[in-house]
Each structure stands twice: as C-alpha cells, then as structure tokens.
Amino acid sequence: MEKGEVNVGAIILSAGLEPFDPKVREEYRYGEFQNVLTSMDFERLLSSTGAYAGEILRASDLKHPKKLAWIQCVGSRQVIEGGNSYCSAVCCTYTQKQVILTKDHHPESECTIFHNDVRSYGKDFERYYQRTENLPGVRFFRSYTSIVREDPVTKNVFVRYSTPDDGVKEEEFDMVVLSIGLNPPKNALEIAKKYGIELSDHGFAKVNEINPMVTKRPGIFVSGGFQGPVDIPESVFSASGAGSQIGEILDYRRGKLTKERIYPEERDVSGEEPRIGVFVCHCGANISSVVGIPDTVEYCKTLPNVVHAQNQLFSCATNSAREITDMIKEKGLNRVIVAGCSPRTLEPLFRDTLREAGINQYYYEMANIREHCSWVHSKEKEEATEKAKDIIRMSAARACHLAPLQEFDLPVDKRALVVGGGIAGMTSALSIANQGHEVYLVEKDKDLGGIARRIHTTLEGLDVQAYLGDLTGKIYKHPSIHVYTDATITAATGYIGNFVTTVKSDRGVTAIKHGAAVLAIGADVYTPTEYLYGQDDRVMTHLELEGKIAEGDEKVINAQSLVMIQCVGCRNEERNYCSRICCSESVKNALLLKEKNPKMDIYILFRDVRTYGFREDFYREAASKDVRFIRYEPEDAPVVEPGKAEDGRSVLKVMATDFILGKKLELDADVVALAAAVIPAAATKEIAGLFKVTLSPDGFFKEAHVKLRPVEFATDGVYLCGLAHYPKFMQETINQSYGAAGRALTLLSNETVVASGSVCEVDENKCVSCGACITVCNYGAIEFYDTPQGRKAKVNPVLCKGDGLCNTVCATSAISLKHFTDEELLSEIDAAVSDEEIMKQIDAAVG
C-alpha cells in the first residue's frame, strides 16, 4: 500500500451539488446588469456575514429595492444548450423562503414570482406556499419571461412576460433574482473514474433503479445530492441509509475500532458563588437582524453573578463551542447561558461543552431569544431587544439555583420491533436483521407488501411485483426475522432500550421485548366522493386504473378517450397538503396506455404538474406523445356528467376551463381516472397513542426535526419511515427505510443508553398517598410502596421522562422535578418584573 492510501471495506460518495451558472445563457443578462442576481447571491445578501451585513441592498446605488422579481426554472426544465432537462426540485420552496425573508426585512416590498408550475410537494410545503402567497404585496404569476433591458440611469431591470388578458407586457423592477437550478458536482466525472462507478445521462451517479444508494460497484454507495437534486431531509436520511447498508457489510468489525470518549474529571462547584458566562448568539441574521446584539451583551454584563458576556456569530459552530469551553476554564465560570435558539435541537451540544470543561452539564441554561423573541417580534426591533434582555435576566436568575445532576446507564435490549410489513417495514427489518439483531415484524394484514401489492410498475419501468416477491422471500427466509401477520398491537410500554409491546395474532397473545421500534404502518388512499366515483364504474382512482392496465382490461385499453383529474381529495381545506406522487402516477399510466393504444386521446387536468427531479423527463415524454395537459383552478374545478358523444356512444362529459385558450372545454371520456390523495392510515392515531409519538397537522407521523432528525420521533428509541411519515415514491421510501434502520442501529449497537438526570422525586414527609400523580403519569413511573410512615408514592427514575405532570397535580408539593424545581422557576418569575415595577403597577391600579 502506497503512502497516503487507506484500506476500507466500503465507501459513501456524497459529493455536493453545484449551482447552475446563468452566464452560460446570454438572455439572463447575469454579469451584465448590476441588479440581476442569482438566488445564491441573494442568500449572501440575507446573511449577516454577507456584503451588506444582512441588509438587502442594490449593488448599483446601495439602496433597498422596493420592487423585486424572482424568475423560476433558470437552468432547469430546459432542453436547450447549457440548460438541464430535469427539475431541480428545491427552487420553488427556497424562492418562497427568500420572499418571506424579504418581507420580514422590508414589509413594504413588492415581490413577484414568475413561475411555470409551483412545485411545493414536500411535507408542509403547501402551507408554506400559501403563507407566501397570502403575504401583502406578493403575487405569483404563471408565465415564461425574458430580461429585455436595463434603465441606463436608474439601473432598474425590465422583464417581459405574457398575460392571459393583456398579451405581452414589460414591467420594471428594482432587482431581479434568478432562481437557479442545481448541477451535478463539477468533479463528478473524476469521482466516477476514481471509484469505478457510472454516471447517469444527467451527470449524477448512476444508481440502482429501486435503491438509490447503490451503485453498479459493490461496496460503493451514494447519498445526498450525488443521487440527484434533493432537499435536506432526503440528504440526511439517505446518508444514514447508506451507513446502514455499509453496516451490513462491515458488521463483523463493529465496535472493534471505536474508542471511548474521555471527559476531564468533573469539578465540584456546588460550594462556589455562581459565576455566570453569557454567550449571545447572532444565529446568522435570525436573531441579529431583529435584536440589538451589542446592546444586549453590554446589558448582560450588568446582571448579578454574570462575570463574562460576549457575542458569537453561531454558538453551535465547532469553533464557538470550543470558545465556550475555553472561557469556562479561563474565567472560572461555573454556570453557562447561551442566548440563542430553542433547546430542542442544540441543548445536548452545549451541555457537552460544559463536560469538556470539567463542569456538570446541568449547570447549563438556554435562553431562547429566537423562537420566543426575534422570530415573533421581527417588526418590533426595539421591543425585541428589551424582551431579549428580560429573557436573559430571567435565565441568569434561574442559573444561580441550578444543581449538579447525574445521569445513569440503562441496559439495551438488542432486539427491534418493526410495525408495518410494507416495503418500508420490510426494508428496515431486513437491514437491522442483516446486522445481527433479532427483528419482530408486525403486519395488520394477512400478507406482507402493503400498498405495493397494488402497484405493478414504477415510472422508471421496475417490475414492482417481482421486486416485492423477492423482498418478501428474503423476509421469510431470514432466521432472525419473526413475522406476525393479521396482527394487532394491544399495548406498548417501556422506554428507550427496554420496550414491551403486546401483539395479538394467530399465534395468540405475545409480549415482545425490544430495545427499539420502527413505525412503518404505511398510508391509505382517499375514497373520492366527487366526480361520480362509486356511482359510475367508468370513474376510478389512478391505482385502480393501473390495476386494469396490468390486467389488460379491454374497456380501458381500447378506450377512445381517457381523462385524468389531479388533486382529488388534497390541496383543499380538509387536506391542506400535496400528495406528491399523483402527478407522476398519472404520467406513468398515460405512457403505459399510449404504449398499448397510441391513438387514445388522453387528457390530464392539473393544478400544477409536480414531476420534480428526473421525473420531468417523463412529463416531457408524455407531452411529446400527445398527452394533453390542461390546467384548472380549484374555484373552477372540472365537472363530470354522463352524456352521449357525437357518434352516439355513451360517455362521461368532462367540462373544464382552459386558461390558455380562455374558454370552456367539453371532453368526451370513456374512462375518468382520479388522482386520489394519499391519506394517513386508519390506525395512525391509535399507534401514535400506544407509542406516545406525535402527529403532524395533516395526521401523518411527526418527526423530531424536519431537517436534522427526519427518521426519529421526539420519543427516544422510536423511529419512522415510509408513507406513514408523508407520501413519497418507492425509491424515497427505501432511502428513508434504510435511514431509520441506521438510526435504530446506533441505539441497538450499544450495551447501554444514558437516561436523563432530570427526573421527579418524592418527599415522603409531604406525601399523603392521594394517588393523583399515579393517575396522570403516562409512563407508569410512579407507584405506591409501604414505609414505616404508611403508604407513599415512589418514582422509578428509569421510567420517568421528566414531563412534570405529576408535580403539577400534587396538592402538597411532595413531588419535585429535578432541574425544574420551584426555587428555579420562581426565581425566573421574580426576575421577570422587579419589586419596584410591581409597586408602581399596584399604585397605578389603586390611584
């Protein structure tokens, strides 16, 4: 082996995406007109480290632009020299983010988004789109555009576009932002040659048609943007998924190369006077654009027991965390406050910085001046600054009363439970089992496969039934996988590393002990109540249509005309989300029908065609084969009625408005296919209650963090994947399923798991044995036991989750929650308003 070479068993290639360079197309005038920017340039303007410290200013005159335009699909969805035929998948939503931030900076700004289709297909994206659209001074305009000229004096930019009523217009803007797409990595070809993999026609890694992490070369996996244009959550769980598949290869080496992290000996500071250090985070522009950071830092220095205060650009950055550790040692700090974001995500990181400095981690306090201050008071900067000071003052008061707590280790049961036997559940179960763990796979139906049993082919041409048969065979043949079909879960108890789930099946009632659980219960399809569905057998869902195509149903195959209607049962008040997969499903069925009957007239009535990513090529192929796409608006939805065609045959009359032609159309359809919404499975609520996990507003499982923890629940030891999380394609499901397996294995591969020190305890002298605490505890952590003083309540710290419900109902204050004691909380309340201010308010009320 030559110097610099390393022998490895497997590799993950995660090369990053490149932004499209608009200079390759002269018509964008980028680099020619000063006030034409790319979306990446605009991101830098928004950043506190950008050219103008977070201010949105024009390069030509350093003035705030009042009228801005965003032009979508720059470098994407273009079959022209220098462009990309695929959709870059993320541009619509990042443009909406930039518009919202622009309005936050300058509420009087006028923002126009020139677009083709608005592709808000991700989880909660539809609401985000509506939030943007409903802002005052924001308009979405569907039109192709061109940048025609620049005013030589004002440097304003003129955009030409077409309107349905007034023909071609020109409009003047202070600034134009090009929403640029994503290119493959610049060195993609070099990477491919170096690692012996192939590239796709688009220049990304060529991956397996069903598993997008697998390349042609065994042991070489791909994650993130090298698979193609993807958003952050997909990047995160594909990385975890690739790691899980590598774990299957290298399981025999697990734990043999790891080293235990050694922390310095903890210093006992309980007898010292509090010495508090306050670190005020800019959070880029999230906080600093609203809260006056320098003024706040100076105020912190005046607070009792605060001996050090400073600002940090990003407190969560590695160098900033190291700086906190260094300051603890240098200044002799024994309490630390980070004034920044919510503790939900970053509290473990900051606690770790205290451990690195030899201080008990529970001497850390987080003052949330982002979610509780800057984000909700973005238009009240002076008041927000004062509120930030109030929040930090309260945190400083609490910090003085913090006490050191000790965490403890719990044993981990090495077995896993997977709930749901569809592709998601089977994929996750197989990956966990292949790494040496027993898996219990529980499925409510008699057969494995889930909704995939009704799918025959993917848009890319994969034989789904053949794949499903192979996957199911692997499950039943695996010695470490125990399958329970026709099963229901009647109870689920326990905690991370030590769960007990009771399953009723044809095997009887079984209590399954396991250390982790993966919830992959799938989803259902909406049963339409509109468009004559259920009243006329010529009206069917897209899944039913696919089944009839696969069966060779002559009435469908030989139909003269077929109409598909999109967004049936979603993107409405009842289900305010996009089902993500429906547009591509309709395109797939249209192409299958055109292959069997090229003369068939096929119409797709749509609101936005959301064939994101490489699926755009199939949309273009369908259009080239005379599949006709007609847009409709929800307030003018299509109408379906029985009728007669000119040749006398019985048809369904579909009436719709064509906004391009500006007139009503009447289409004769032999078959009408409805793109019915994907909806949460019927058992979702029940399963969520059993495993104590939360649901999104749309009723799907809610992940712990949409970007950073997309396959985990807030409930420790429980993971999610597949359609139960949100509608997604089979390849995306497999991405996420391996990701969930990877996260579960990070738990199962340990002998122990650390439990929080913030648990409840009972003062027996105050306990009157009323049992109120036992009644409200969701975790069964409290029980009575006999003492010389009689029956008393006792908390099992292993089961306690520290939610504090018990001590709120205790009439005698016998129960206290460590780290959230009455003394700590009351000190915050006292610090919120001074005695002098209280007296003033009393005098004012009396006088």
Side-chain angles (χ1 to χ4, degrees):
M1 188 168 65
E2 296 182 10
K3 186 178 180 181
E5 291 183 349
V6 178
N7 278 333
V8 295
I11 295 171
I12 299 176
L13 301 178
S14 191
L17 297 160
E18 290 288 335
F20 174 77
D21 183 2
K23 288 181 180 177
V24 302
R25 302 291 304 177
E26 291 182 4
E27 63 266 28
Y28 294 127
R29 305 299 182 96
Y30 181 67
E32 178 184 353
F33 295 167
Q34 279 187 287
N35 294 317
V36 174
L37 287 70
T38 68
S39 45
M40 295 299 103
D41 297 333
F42 198 78
E43 286 285 335
R44 291 303 301 153
L45 282 186
L46 292 168
S47 172
S48 59
T49 60
Y52 309 119
E55 286 292 313
I56 303 173
L57 302 176
R58 301 190 339 152
S60 60
D61 53 18
L62 300 184
K63 291 181 179 178
H64 293 294
K66 294 181 180 179
K67 192 174 180 182
L68 302 90
W70 278 260
I71 298 177
Q72 298 298 100
C73 301
V74 174
S76 301
R77 305 182 68 183
Q78 297 175 331
V79 190
I80 55 175
E81 187 178 350
N84 296 311
S85 66
Y86 55 82
C87 165
S88 289
V90 300
C91 318
C92 287
T93 304
Y94 78 56
T95 293
Q96 293 161 26
K97 177 199 72 175
Q98 291 180 349
V99 169
I100 289 173
L101 292 174
T102 299
K103 295 293 287 185
D104 282 344
H105 278 68
H106 307 289
E108 71 284 356
S109 298
E110 296 176 27
C111 302
T112 301
I113 299 96
F114 292 107
H115 65 92
N116 185 357
D117 298 292
V118 177
R119 293 188 166 172
S120 299
Y121 57 86
K123 193 172 187 178
D124 293 326
F125 283 12
E126 185 71 14
R127 282 189 177 86
Y128 199 70
Y129 165 38
Q130 291 168 359
R131 173 187 168 189
T132 311
E133 188 178 33
N134 292 331
L135 287 171
V138 172
R139 64 182 169 139
F140 282 78
F141 202 92
R142 192 183 295 266
S143 176
Y144 290 107
T145 61
S146 59
I147 297 172
V148 290
R149 57 193 171 89
E150 178 187 67
D151 187 301
V153 178
T154 65
K155 302 300 180 183
N156 287 350
V157 181
F158 288 81
V159 175
R160 181 180 295 157
Y161 59 96
S162 62
T163 68
D165 301 321
D166 302 323
V168 176
K169 292 180 64 175
E170 282 188 11
E171 190 169 346
E172 184 177 0
F173 294 93
D174 300 334
M175 180 181 285
V176 173
V177 182
L178 305 176
S179 297
I180 56 174
L182 300 171
N183 285 349
K186 281 184 178 178
N187 58 342
L189 191 57
E190 180 185 342
I191 292 171
K193 288 180 179 178
K194 183 179 291 185
Y195 292 101
I197 66 169
E198 299 177 30
L199 297 180
S200 69
D201 293 339
H202 293 300
F204 295 90
K206 188 173 183 178
V207 294
N208 182 280
E209 60 184 349
I210 189 64
N211 184 340
M213 293 161 283
V214 173
T215 66
K216 295 290 185 182
R217 187 177 179 189
I220 305 288
F221 298 88
V222 174
S223 70
F226 204 16
Q227 292 181 348
V230 293
D231 204 355
I232 292 172
E234 286 80 6
S235 294
V236 172
F237 57 63
S238 68
S240 182
S244 185
Q245 291 176 83
I246 284 180
E248 295 180 31
I249 298 172
L250 302 180
D251 182 59
Y252 70 99
R253 300 295 301 274
R254 192 183 300 277
K256 295 179 180 178
L257 299 175
T258 57
K259 294 181 180 178
E260 185 179 355
R261 189 175 181 183
I262 306 297
Y263 290 95
E265 186 177 350
E266 191 174 291
R267 182 163 60 94
D268 183 6
V269 300
S270 56
E272 299 178 5
E273 284 292 315
R275 292 177 59 81
I276 303 172
V278 181
F279 298 85
V280 184
C281 180
H282 287 249
C283 196
N286 278 294
I287 297 173
S288 62
S289 63
V290 178
V291 174
I293 300 295
D295 186 25
T296 303
V297 170
E298 290 305 310
Y299 173 77
C300 292
K301 294 176 181 177
T302 69
L303 295 173
N305 301 107
V306 173
V307 298
H308 177 73
Q310 68 172 86
N311 69 80
Q312 292 180 313
L313 186 60
F314 288 101
S315 294
C316 58
T318 303
N319 61 315
S320 296
R322 190 181 302 114
E323 185 178 40
I324 294 172
T325 301
D326 293 341
M327 284 296 121
I328 292 172
K329 296 175 181 177
E330 182 181 325
K331 304 288 184 179
L333 306 179
N334 54 29
R335 309 282 194 283
V336 170
I337 297 171
V338 172
C341 62
S342 161
R344 181 181 173 197
T345 301
L346 293 173
E347 187 175 55
L349 167 69
F350 293 122
R351 283 184 173 180
D352 197 65
T353 62
L354 270 68
R355 294 186 69 188
E356 289 284 1
I359 301 294
N360 187 281
Q361 60 181 309
Y362 287 91
Y363 283 123
Y364 169 74
E365 167 72 1
M366 200 152 192
N368 187 348
I369 62 171
R370 190 180 74 177
E371 285 85 345
H372 290 177
C373 188
S374 66
W375 278 6
V376 290
H377 301 293
S378 59
K379 296 176 177 60
E380 306 160 302
K381 296 188 177 182
E382 290 184 10
E383 291 85 352
T385 300
E386 292 307 308
K387 182 176 178 180
K389 294 176 183 178
D390 293 341
I391 292 171
I392 296 170
R393 182 177 67 251
M394 294 164 68
S395 292
R398 178 174 186 261
C400 292
H401 300 284
L402 294 177
L405 300 177
Q406 299 303 319
E407 298 181 332
F408 51 95
D409 291 340
L410 301 173
V412 173
D413 190 308
K414 299 290 189 175
R415 293 167 289 190
L417 173 77
V418 177
V419 184
I423 283 183
M426 287 192 287
T427 300
S428 194
L430 201 59
S431 187
I432 295 171
N434 284 341
Q435 297 179 62
H437 298 271
E438 276 193 86
V439 179
Y440 297 90
L441 181 61
V442 178
E443 167 55 39
K444 71 180 189 309
D445 293 336
K446 292 183 178 180
D447 299 307
L448 298 177
I451 202 168
R453 296 200 304 269
R454 301 176 63 190
I455 300 171
H456 298 272
T457 181
T458 65
L459 188 56
E460 296 77 16
L462 175 79
D463 185 336
V464 174
Q465 294 308 303
Y467 173 77
L468 187 60
D470 180 61
L471 181 61
T472 304
K474 289 178 181 177
I475 290 292
Y476 279 114
K477 290 175 184 176
H478 203 293
S480 297
I481 298 178
H482 312 284
V483 180
Y484 294 77
T485 54
D486 204 11
T488 56
I489 294 175
T490 58
T493 60
Y495 49 90
I496 180 173
N498 293 271
F499 295 102
V500 180
T501 299
T502 305
V503 175
K504 184 180 179 181
S505 69
D506 54 8
R507 299 186 183 191
V509 178
T510 310
I512 299 172
K513 295 181 179 181
H514 54 100
V518 178
L519 305 186
I521 64 172
D524 293 335
V525 177
Y526 168 66
T527 301
T529 58
E530 50 270 82
Y531 302 120
L532 301 181
Y533 183 84
Q535 303 171 45
D536 192 312
D537 60 8
R538 292 171 294 178
V539 182
M540 59 195 71
T541 66
H542 51 5
L543 266 183
E544 291 167 345
L545 174 63
E546 180 173 348
K548 290 182 181 296
I549 295 171
E551 294 166 5
D553 187 299
E554 289 189 4
K555 289 183 180 179
V556 170
I557 302 300
N558 297 327
Q560 292 183 39
S561 177
L562 183 144
V563 174
M564 302 180 184
I565 303 176
Q566 301 302 111
C567 300
V568 176
C570 63
R571 297 187 71 189
N572 56 26
E573 288 186 13
E574 186 178 356
R575 297 178 195 85
N576 194 13
Y577 60 88
C578 167
S579 287
R580 188 177 182 127
I581 62 175
C582 312
C583 289
S584 296
E585 172 74 7
S586 294
V587 166
K588 175 187 77 176
N589 287 338
L591 289 171
L592 289 171
L593 288 168
K594 279 291 187 180
E595 186 178 327
K596 295 177 182 292
N597 182 0
K599 294 181 179 180
M600 185 187 298
D601 292 324
I602 300 177
Y603 303 88
I604 298 181
L605 308 185
F606 71 96
R607 290 175 58 185
D608 294 280
V609 178
R610 292 181 169 176
T611 47
Y612 60 93
F614 301 143
R615 296 170 188 87
E616 180 70 13
D617 293 335
F618 295 98
Y619 170 31
R620 188 176 295 104
E621 181 186 348
S624 72
K625 292 182 177 178
D626 291 329
V627 175
R628 294 158 197 172
F629 292 83
I630 301 170
R631 182 172 64 86
Y632 75 90
E633 293 291 345
E635 60 271 13
D636 188 12
V639 175
V640 180
E641 297 176 352
K644 294 284 185 180
E646 290 182 1
D647 60 7
R649 78 184 194 279
S650 178
V651 296
L652 292 166
K653 295 281 186 180
V654 182
M655 279 73 76
T657 300
D658 188 319
F659 285 89
I660 302 297
L661 299 176
K663 65 178 184 180
K664 283 278 187 181
L665 300 178
E666 185 178 281
L667 307 173
D668 292 342
D670 298 302
V671 177
V672 171
L674 307 180
V678 178
I679 62 175
T684 302
K685 255 185 199 177
E686 182 185 354
I687 294 295
L690 287 168
F691 287 91
K692 301 176 178 63
V693 299
T694 53
L695 301 178
S696 73
D698 299 313
F700 294 98
F701 286 140
K702 182 176 176 60
E703 63 277 63
H705 190 287
V706 65
K707 295 188 184 296
L708 303 181
R709 297 172 65 193
V711 296
E712 301 170 58
F713 285 108
T715 301
D716 294 333
V718 187
Y719 308 89
L720 73 158
C721 60
L723 295 177
H725 167 248
Y726 191 69
K728 53 180 63 70
F729 289 98
M730 200 172 298
Q731 297 92 329
E732 295 168 332
T733 289
I734 289 169
N735 246 347
Q736 192 181 29
S737 302
Y738 276 112
R743 296 305 299 156
L745 284 158
T746 60
L747 166 61
L748 297 177
S749 60
N750 292 307
E751 297 299 325
T752 59
V753 65
V754 176
S756 171
S758 179
V759 294
C760 292
E761 62 181 353
V762 179
D763 183 343
E764 293 181 0
N765 295 323
K766 294 182 179 179
C767 179
V768 295
S769 305
C770 68
C773 55
I774 296 175
T775 303
V776 299
C777 182
N778 289 317
Y779 304 98
I782 309 174
E783 58 186 3
F784 284 130
Y785 79 112
D786 294 325
T787 74
Q789 291 78 35
R791 193 175 66 160
K792 301 290 182 181
K794 184 178 183 180
V795 176
N796 181 346
V798 172
L799 296 177
C800 180
K801 292 297 180 184
D803 62 10
L805 277 177
C806 55
N807 71 323
T808 62
V809 300
C810 183
T812 61
S813 299
I815 299 183
S816 61
L817 173 57
K818 296 177 182 179
H819 202 57
F820 295 95
T821 64
D822 289 351
E823 186 180 32
E824 292 166 4
L825 299 180
L826 289 172
S827 68
E828 284 192 90
I829 295 170
D830 291 340
V833 184
S834 66
D835 292 341
E836 184 180 327
E837 182 64 28
I838 292 172
M839 291 306 298
K840 281 183 183 179
Q841 292 180 15
I842 292 173
D843 291 341
V846 173

